[in-house]
Amino acid sequence: MARYLADGQKRDAGFLLWQAGASYSAAEIVVAVSSCRAAGLDDAAEAILINAAERTDRQAVLMIAAALDKAGRHGDVTFMLTAAMRAVG
């Protein structure tokens, strides 16, 4: 994903971020978001969280929030749950 961004391939990077948020397990999302944050790619981390928050499986959203919380990523929990509330209207 970072390579796509560096090469100016924002559409491809965006697709990877959407796919991560839409399909990764809770543990994989923690790793992906943590990696993005560590690399200074805050927009990418937030894109993953927004896409995860928009899942129709609300139990999965809660499991992701719990995994982020357990990993100490409290700001990301708040961000994702806020996005989830917006997604349901």
Side-chain angles (χ1 to χ4, degrees):
M1 193 265 316
R3 183 177 45 104
Y4 285 131
L5 289 173
D7 292 343
Q9 296 174 300
K10 292 182 181 183
R11 183 177 175 158
D12 292 328
F15 175 75
L16 290 177
L17 295 170
W18 170 82
Q19 185 178 27
S23 64
Y24 279 16
S25 70
E28 291 170 324
I29 287 181
V30 170
V31 170
V33 168
S34 298
S35 296
C36 288
R37 297 275 192 217
L41 300 171
D42 291 329
D43 289 345
E46 291 171 2
I48 293 169
L49 293 170
I50 289 168
N51 288 306
E54 293 176 349
R55 290 184 182 193
T56 56
D57 181 354
R58 304 320 282 167
Q59 183 66 32
V61 174
L62 293 175
M63 290 175 59
I64 294 165
L68 289 164
D69 184 63
K70 184 176 180 181
R73 305 216 53 90
H74 307 295
D76 290 327
V77 172
T78 301
F79 183 90
M80 192 182 92
L81 291 179
T82 300
M85 288 188 303
R86 289 185 182 136
V88 293

